Structures are given as structure tokens and as C-alpha cells.
Amino acid sequence: MKISCSQSALQNSVNVVSKAVPGKTPMPILECILLKTENNVLKLTASNMDLGIESIVTDTIVEEEGYVALDAKLFSDMVRNLPADTVYIESDDQFHTTIRCGKAEYKIIGKSGQDFPKLPIVKIDEPVVLSQLTLKNIITQTSFAAAVNEANKMMTGVFMEIHENQMKMVALDGHRISIRVIELKQPYPDHSAVIPGKSLNEIVKNLSSEQQNEAMIYFTENQMIVDIENTTMVVRLIDGEYFNYEQMIRAQFKTKVIINRRELMEGINRATLLVKEGDKKPVIINVTEDKLELMGNSAVGTLKEDIPVVKEGNDLMIGFNPRFLLDALRVIDDEQVTMYLMDAKSPAFFKNDTETYNYIILPVNFLNQR
Amino acid sequence: MKISCSQSALQNSVNVVSKAVPGKTPMPILECILLKTENNVLKLTASNMDLGIESIVTDTIVEEEGYVALDAKLFSDMVRNLPADTVYIESDDQFHTTIRCGKAEYKIIGKSGQDFPKLPIVKIDEPVVLSQLTLKNIITQTSFAAAVNEANKMMTGVFMEIHENQMKMVALDGHRISIRVIELKQPYPDHSAVIPGKSLNEIVKNLSSEQQNEAMIYFTENQMIVDIENTTMVVRLIDGEYFNYEQMIRAQFKTKVIINRRELMEGINRATLLVKEGDKKPVIINVTEDKLELMGNSAVGTLKEDIPVVKEGNDLMIGFNPRFLLDALRVIDDEQVTMYLMDAKSPAFFKNDTETYNYIILPVNFLNQR
């Protein structure tokens, strides 16, 4: 292989595919980035088996077609430290590789890319098209609620449902549920899939924050493919039925509280200072006539804080894991949020009127813990 | 004690004194910040025995004089998370302390400050006065070369010498020496002291980057006191004779190399990528007619890079610990640096004509290591 390209284009592609390089892996070849030319185009590929990313290095001049797999960390570090100039990469039959740029010349030993797993990119149906920014938002506004612990594989997934011109994402971990719905520009055939939250969190990093940049999403039986400019990301789906989360949603409530989101967040932050990590102390909320009294206490001390609210219905005292409240409040855009409560043992709902978001959080029994 | 002050002034003082709070200590009282009023002024104090810092909280209203010691981490976290409003702090005889701000009210239990070590602030002679920025610069440009390892206490110190209208700082660790000299605005009586590098690195964080803000430095037999606006920092000096570093300085050289500082740094950075942390592989410099050839190699691969130079004298091949070169090059302001070399076993000197800086670095034997 013999190619030349600009340092900036190469660095860009390296950054993009690096999100799929596994932290640790029993397969040494996956610690590499595969460089491969095809029809005068240089593509970089990385994969951790769950997520594979392929990126075209723009404006590459291919003098001699070929391929080589280079250690991902070393190659990224090198490319990042090269001057902003033309990079020349040459690799022989033994995968001895020379990387030249400016006055610097690296010689390293690569590997054959023969055993590098192929990304099975099959684009059959029409893609779902949406803004990268919109996709980025709906992912970050839901995926945090997916379980991290692998004990229940399905819980580590994010449920995505396309229904007519709506896309819905749902994540849950047994203590809370996040639901977001967005409008698409046109209707699409109904489809649903469970996508690993971990892979989604890597994909998000490659999505643009510009509203006008689009992403195209394709589904096969066991894959989701996200296409953005010069880059294709392939995710292996989680197999099986997602949870019947809809049965956990209820429209009744006995207490409705409208509160300033920022005031509530800041109060919860103050309350959690008293609690050491892993102490699992709840924050207690006492809703009375026109105020919400926030209480935190531990061996270290206590916090009390009154936040004005507009309340309908019963007075109520209820305890929550403060992190779950903060995670949800952080991704809600509204200045005022509405909380729907039933009793001290039933989940709280943060939702807007159109239900484009619905965050459901189970309370904790604070009486034993006080 | 009963006081009120603005959240911003309190946070500022907490930040300043926090630099003296020890990471771990066998004396629990040192994990606290002491709040103490005296003549209607609120002072915060923290100390790790080597460094003590005292800061006045500006515009405090003292309703009732007194004192209390509060856990430093908890108190800093609280203050940082309070709204930008007036903070009311009240503490009773049992050191039960209430902190109110906006709608938030903390109750925590403090300690008596009785056993908190007193900062022995004795200002006898006239202070040395200089810009905080100048002091900050001369410290950061030398202290990195002081030893971190406590095995040789004197080596962990930075030597400061006042001679007429010059201030000199020197640090060394057995492999390198950093020397910086600055001009003061007026002559002062001769004085020298060895200041713990660790304490200097904390003091630096409290120095302003504004040229016009001044610092006043006082010396006693075993202390240095640095006074800046509303804040006094007291450092315990290292007792004993500093090294006779001047005998290690030599004016002769056989090779003189003028090179672009940035090009050399970037080349060394590229060479070190090949070397794993702790591998102790040197970077090799081969000076010939009009170029400096930089070479790095390891099991992973090799780097070669030619950097144009202006050379006088002999050709020379010499090896260095790349980190020592980078540490020195990073703090030199000049665009072109001059390197004076003798042979492969003698130290290299990076200095300017006026010798306001002189960085001396011992080479490593690269022949065995190649």
C-alpha cells in the first residue's frame, strides 16, 4: 500500500473510528485500526465486535492499493503529533510501514489485516433520515437510564421504535424509565430494535452538533447502520423482546407539582454534598401548600431548603435517589417541570403535556433510612 | 460566632486557603478550615504544617466574634454550591454550625479550633516586593527540576537567593539543574533560603497573572512569608546548606547548536510516542553540519527526524531522557534556543547570552540502550 493524504483528514478519520476500538480484548487484531484502499479510496476501520466504524479519509491519493493493520493507540498518537502537512504512508508485503510527514519519518511494524473482522454492511430498505443533532439529543436524553451492569442484557439496551412519523427511544434499569419521542419529517414503515446503550454512547460522539447535517439509519435483522458523511457505523442489536414498559405508565395522580427545574437541581446538588458516594442516602421531598421542602441528612449534617411550587392535590412526603432525579432533570429542556405523584411508594413522573418526554423514577423508602 | 458575607468573597477565600489543606494527615484538625473573627474581620486559615495560608473574607459583617473549625472538603463543596447571595454563618458553644444562603440552610457540626496550629507570622525586615506574575513565572520555570522523592530533603527544595537587585532561583534533582535570574526594581540586603518545591507549587496557584498585582516576601530564620492582597502564606524553610551547584556550571563547550525550540519539542514528543511510560529509552541527538538528527527507537518502531540548525564546533551524538529536555524547553520563552555541548558524557546547557536562564541536563548512555 502506498498513499498520501492530509494530516487533518487522516486525524479526523482516526478520531472517528477510534470510538470502536475496544478498551481490552482477547483478540489482538481488534486493538488495531485497519487501513485499506479500494478503488482509489482509503478507508479506516475499527471494531469491538458490538460496534464497527468505517471512515473514508478524504482526498487521499492512492499510488498502490493494499492494506495494513496498525496498533490503534500508537497510530492515533503518531497522527495527532504529526505536523499539519501531507502524510505519506507506505507498507510492504511484510507490513513494515513507513509514515512520513514534514521532516519526521516513523518506521513501525504493522499486521496483516486478513483476520480483521469484516463489517457486514447491508443496506436493504430505505433509510430513516434525520438531523444528526436530533439523533444525538434523543440518545443522550434517554440512554443514561439504561443499565450498565451486564446481568440483564436487555436492560443495557435502548429500545428504538419507528411508528409512522415518530421515533421513540426508551431506556430503563429497574429503578427508572426514560422515554423520548421526536417527530420525523415523513412517515416510515413501522420498525423496532433494541440497541446496546454502550454503542449508542460511542456513536453519539461522532454525531455533528449542526442541525443541517443528516444521519441515515438502516436496519437489518440484527444490525443498525448509521451513515453520516464519509462514515458508516454498524451496531449489533440485542436479540429478544423489550420490556412491556407501557404497563408501568399511569395517567392518574394525586399530587401535581410545578417547579423551577434549576432551583430543584441546585437544591438536590446541595443536599447530596452531605452524603458520601455509595452511602445511598435519599433526598426527601415534602410537598405542602405552596412549597417543596427538600431535606437531606447524614451523620455529617443536614440540609433544608424551601422551593416555591404550584401544587394541585394532596400533600406528600417522598424520598428519592438524588442521582436519578438529577440525571432526568439535567436532560429536560423546560424551565418549569411538572411532577406527578401518587403516594410515597409509587413512581414519580416528570412529563410535559404532549408527552414528548416522560421520566419515571421509583421512590426509595426513606422512613427506614432516616 | 455570627457573621454574614457574600458567597463570592467566601468562595474566594476558601479557594485560596484550600491549597494548604493536606491530602492526608495524621492530625484530623488539619483536615479543617479554621474560621475565626478578630476585630470585626473574618479570617480563614488552613495548614499542612509545611505551608499555612490565611485569608481575609472581604466585607464580612461580624455580629458576634468567635471561631469554629469546619471540615475543609465539605465546607468548600457547600460554599461552591450556594447561590450567589449573602451567606449567614452562626456557630454556638458546641460548634453546631448553621450556614444559610438564599432558601438553603445547612446544619453541620464543627470542631473547636483550639488545637489548630497557629501560623507564626512574624514580619521583621523590609519585604522584597515584586509582581505576582514575575514571582509566578520564576517559580514555574525552576521548581519542576526539584526532586519529588523525599530521600534527599534538600533536593526537594528550591534555592532562592536575593543579591542586590537580583533574585535567583535554582532547583536540581541530580540529573538536571534549572537556574533563573530576574531583576528586582531596587536592591535588597543579601539573603538566601531553601523553600520546599511542593509548597512553592501551591503558592503559585494563588498568585495573580496580572503584572500590576504585587507580592511581598518576608524572611525569618526558618520561614518565608508571602503576602498578597488579603492573604498571607507562610512556608517552613528547609534547614541546611544548599548544594554547591555553581561548580557544575562550565563555560567551555565544543559544540554550539542554535535550533528552533518548537521544532525540537515537537520532534521529541514524536520520538517519545514509541516509548512506553517507565521504559526509560533515551532520545538520541546526532548533530552534524547543518542539521540535528533526532532518533527514537523501541521494540515498537523507530522515528527519525532532521531539524535544521546553526552549528559551531564538533559533530556529536548524545542521548537524553526526553522528559528532561521537554521540561526545560517548555519553560523557555525564546523562539530559538542555544544548546552548548562538550561530549556524549557531559551535561548539555540551554542558556541565553545574559544567562537569565540556564538549564543543565545530564545525558544518558545511549550506546548500551540502543
Side-chain angles (χ1 to χ4, degrees):
Chain A
M1 191 187 71
K2 192 171 173 184
I3 62 99
S4 62
C5 62
S6 78
Q7 186 268 344
S8 64
L10 184 60
Q11 185 172 343
N12 186 49
S13 284
V14 167
N15 288 348
V16 164
V17 301
S18 289
K19 275 94 182 182
V21 175
K24 51 185 180 188
T25 167
M27 294 172 65
I29 189 68
L30 297 185
E31 289 166 359
C32 293
I33 292 175
L34 178 70
L35 290 75
K36 186 172 185 177
T37 66
E38 233 173 52
N39 309 321
N40 274 311
V41 167
L42 172 64
K43 274 185 190 171
L44 307 191
T45 310
S47 166
N48 61 26
M49 301 311 280
D50 280 330
L51 170 67
I53 305 181
E54 187 181 277
S55 173
I56 292 169
V57 183
T58 51
D59 301 321
T60 303
I61 296 167
V62 178
E63 284 189 50
E64 213 183 285
E65 303 261 358
Y67 53 85
V68 62
L70 300 176
D71 181 82
K73 189 183 172 318
L74 182 64
F75 184 58
S76 321
D77 284 348
M78 284 176 174
V79 171
R80 193 174 345 105
N81 280 281
L82 289 176
D85 204 335
T86 305
V87 183
Y88 300 86
I89 304 181
E90 203 176 332
S91 160
D92 68 14
D93 292 351
Q94 303 303 305
F95 306 103
H96 289 100
T97 305
T98 305
I99 301 169
R100 271 189 307 118
C101 184
K103 302 180 200 89
E105 184 185 281
Y106 277 114
K107 282 188 191 295
I108 56 172
I109 299 165
K111 288 179 183 171
S112 152
Q114 289 293 20
D115 52 341
F116 201 92
K118 288 215 176 0
L119 300 196
I121 300 176
V122 192
K123 301 173 186 174
I124 313 168
D125 301 316
E126 283 297 298
V128 175
V129 182
L130 76 170
S131 152
Q132 289 183 38
L133 177 61
T134 308
L135 181 59
K136 187 180 191 139
N137 286 343
I138 190 172
I139 294 172
T140 50
Q141 288 166 339
T142 49
S143 69
F144 66 85
V148 178
N149 188 322
E150 297 274 331
N152 183 335
K153 179 106 178 158
M154 187 58 74
M155 267 197 193
T156 65
V158 175
F159 179 68
M160 183 199 269
E161 187 179 56
I162 312 283
H163 174 61
E164 294 173 359
N165 67 339
Q166 287 198 327
M167 175 187 280
K168 186 191 270 188
M169 283 203 187
V170 181
L172 56 81
D173 68 358
H175 303 285
R176 51 179 169 173
I177 312 175
S178 296
I179 306 171
R180 280 269 175 175
V181 182
I182 53 168
E183 298 279 314
L184 301 168
K185 282 180 199 144
Q186 60 170 90
Y188 292 94
D190 283 9
H191 194 90
S192 71
V194 184
I195 313 154
K198 215 171 135 189
S199 298
L200 278 180
N201 292 338
E202 295 301 326
I203 285 177
V204 156
K205 296 178 190 163
N206 285 336
L207 296 178
S208 158
S209 293
E210 303 293 328
Q211 186 67 48
Q212 75 273 18
N213 291 348
E214 289 191 326
M216 281 174 288
I217 303 178
Y218 300 84
F219 287 99
T220 67
E221 204 191 320
N222 44 26
Q223 268 151 12
M224 177 177 77
I225 298 172
V226 180
D227 248 14
I228 58 174
E229 212 191 11
N230 295 317
T231 297
T232 301
M233 301 182 271
V234 185
V235 191
R236 188 208 295 241
L237 299 176
I238 296 173
D239 198 29
E241 275 296 295
Y242 195 66
F243 307 95
N244 183 2
Y245 66 91
E246 280 172 319
Q247 74 178 22
M248 302 175 228
I249 302 173
R250 127 188 86 59
Q252 305 100 292
F253 61 87
K254 290 188 177 158
T255 309
K256 178 180 171 183
V257 180
I258 303 174
I259 189 165
N260 180 281
R261 185 178 68 94
R262 187 143 296 279
E263 286 188 2
L264 181 54
M265 280 182 74
E266 289 177 355
I268 297 168
N269 272 324
R270 281 189 278 271
T272 52
L273 292 184
L274 298 168
V275 181
K276 287 205 189 75
E277 199 72 47
D279 236 13
K280 291 200 178 160
K281 280 269 185 185
V283 60
I284 296 159
I285 283 173
N286 188 21
V287 186
T288 52
E289 221 31 67
D290 53 359
K291 68 171 198 244
L292 181 153
E293 190 186 17
L294 204 64
M295 289 174 284
N297 68 73
S298 74
V300 171
T302 61
L303 171 93
K304 274 189 200 236
E305 183 159 352
D306 289 343
I307 305 173
V309 296
V310 175
K311 190 201 77 164
E312 283 174 32
N314 299 351
D315 289 1
L316 177 63
M317 192 170 336
I318 184 168
F320 291 102
N321 177 329
R323 189 167 66 81
F324 293 167
L325 289 177
L326 288 174
D327 281 350
L329 290 168
R330 213 175 273 135
V331 296
I332 295 176
D333 303 314
D334 298 340
E335 221 174 291
Q336 303 290 325
V337 293
T338 310
M339 209 174 160
Y340 296 87
L341 300 157
M342 183 65 101
D343 54 48
K345 288 180 175 171
S346 303
F349 291 71
F350 288 89
K351 62 182 179 183
N352 57 358
D353 292 341
T354 52
E355 297 206 22
T356 57
Y357 67 80
N358 197 344
Y359 292 98
I360 304 161
I361 302 171
L362 275 177
V364 291
N365 184 352
F366 61 91
L367 294 172
N368 297 342
Q369 303 203 28
R370 272 186 117 180
Chain B
M1 192 186 71
K2 192 172 174 185
I3 63 98
S4 62
C5 61
S6 79
Q7 185 269 343
S8 63
L10 185 60
Q11 185 171 344
N12 185 51
S13 285
V14 167
N15 288 348
V16 164
V17 301
S18 289
K19 276 93 180 182
V21 176
K24 50 184 178 187
T25 168
M27 294 170 66
I29 190 68
L30 298 185
E31 289 167 358
C32 292
I33 292 175
L34 177 70
L35 289 77
K36 186 172 185 178
T37 65
E38 233 173 54
N39 308 321
N40 274 311
V41 167
L42 173 64
K43 276 185 191 172
L44 306 191
T45 310
S47 166
N48 61 27
M49 299 312 280
D50 281 329
L51 170 67
I53 305 181
E54 188 181 277
S55 175
I56 292 170
V57 182
T58 51
D59 301 321
T60 302
I61 297 166
V62 178
E63 282 189 52
E64 212 183 285
E65 304 261 358
Y67 53 84
V68 63
L70 300 176
D71 181 81
K73 189 182 171 319
L74 181 65
F75 184 56
S76 319
D77 283 349
M78 283 176 174
V79 172
R80 193 174 344 106
N81 280 281
L82 289 176
D85 206 335
T86 305
V87 183
Y88 299 85
I89 304 181
E90 203 177 333
S91 160
D92 68 14
D93 294 349
Q94 304 302 305
F95 306 103
H96 290 99
T97 305
T98 305
I99 302 169
R100 271 188 309 119
C101 184
K103 301 180 201 88
E105 184 185 281
Y106 278 114
K107 282 189 190 295
I108 56 174
I109 298 164
K111 289 179 181 171
S112 153
Q114 290 292 21
D115 52 341
F116 200 93
K118 286 217 176 359
L119 300 195
I121 300 176
V122 193
K123 302 173 187 175
I124 313 170
D125 300 316
E126 282 298 295
V128 175
V129 181
L130 76 170
S131 151
Q132 290 184 38
L133 177 61
T134 308
L135 182 59
K136 186 179 192 140
N137 285 342
I138 190 171
I139 294 173
T140 51
Q141 288 165 339
T142 50
S143 69
F144 66 86
V148 179
N149 188 321
E150 296 273 331
N152 184 334
K153 180 108 178 156
M154 188 57 75
M155 269 198 192
T156 64
V158 175
F159 179 68
M160 183 199 268
E161 188 180 56
I162 311 284
H163 175 60
E164 293 174 358
N165 66 338
Q166 286 197 328
M167 176 187 281
K168 186 192 271 187
M169 283 203 188
V170 182
L172 56 79
D173 67 359
H175 303 284
R176 52 179 169 172
I177 311 175
S178 297
I179 305 171
R180 281 270 175 174
V181 182
I182 53 167
E183 298 279 315
L184 300 169
K185 281 180 198 143
Q186 60 170 90
Y188 292 94
D190 283 9
H191 195 89
S192 70
V194 184
I195 313 152
K198 215 170 133 190
S199 298
L200 279 180
N201 294 338
E202 294 302 325
I203 285 178
V204 156
K205 296 177 191 164
N206 285 337
L207 296 177
S208 159
S209 294
E210 302 292 328
Q211 186 66 47
Q212 74 273 16
N213 292 349
E214 289 191 325
M216 280 175 287
I217 304 178
Y218 300 83
F219 287 98
T220 66
E221 204 192 318
N222 45 26
Q223 267 151 14
M224 177 177 76
I225 298 171
V226 181
D227 247 15
I228 58 175
E229 211 190 10
N230 296 318
T231 296
T232 302
M233 301 182 270
V234 185
V235 190
R236 187 208 296 240
L237 299 176
I238 296 174
D239 198 29
E241 274 295 293
Y242 196 65
F243 306 97
N244 183 359
Y245 66 93
E246 280 172 320
Q247 73 179 20
M248 303 175 227
I249 301 174
R250 122 189 91 59
Q252 305 101 290
F253 61 88
K254 290 186 175 158
T255 309
K256 177 181 173 184
V257 181
I258 302 174
I259 189 164
N260 180 283
R261 185 179 67 95
R262 188 144 294 280
E263 285 188 5
L264 181 55
M265 280 182 74
E266 289 178 356
I268 297 168
N269 271 324
R270 281 190 279 271
T272 52
L273 291 185
L274 298 168
V275 181
K276 287 203 191 74
E277 198 71 48
D279 237 12
K280 290 199 179 164
K281 280 271 186 185
V283 59
I284 296 159
I285 282 173
N286 188 21
V287 184
T288 53
E289 222 29 68
D290 54 359
K291 68 171 200 244
L292 181 153
E293 189 186 17
L294 204 64
M295 289 175 285
N297 69 73
S298 74
V300 171
T302 63
L303 171 94
K304 272 188 201 240
E305 182 158 352
D306 290 344
I307 304 173
V309 296
V310 176
K311 191 201 76 167
E312 283 174 30
N314 299 350
D315 287 2
L316 177 63
M317 194 172 333
I318 186 169
F320 291 102
N321 178 327
R323 188 167 67 82
F324 292 168
L325 289 176
L326 288 175
D327 281 350
L329 290 168
R330 212 174 276 137
V331 296
I332 295 176
D333 303 314
D334 298 340
E335 222 174 291
Q336 303 291 325
V337 293
T338 310
M339 208 173 159
Y340 297 88
L341 300 158
M342 183 64 102
D343 54 46
K345 287 180 176 171
S346 303
F349 291 71
F350 288 89
K351 61 181 178 184
N352 56 356
D353 293 340
T354 51
E355 297 205 23
T356 57
Y357 66 80
N358 197 345
Y359 291 99
I360 303 162
I361 302 172
L362 274 177
V364 291
N365 184 351
F366 61 92
L367 294 170
N368 297 342
Q369 302 204 29
R370 270 187 117 178

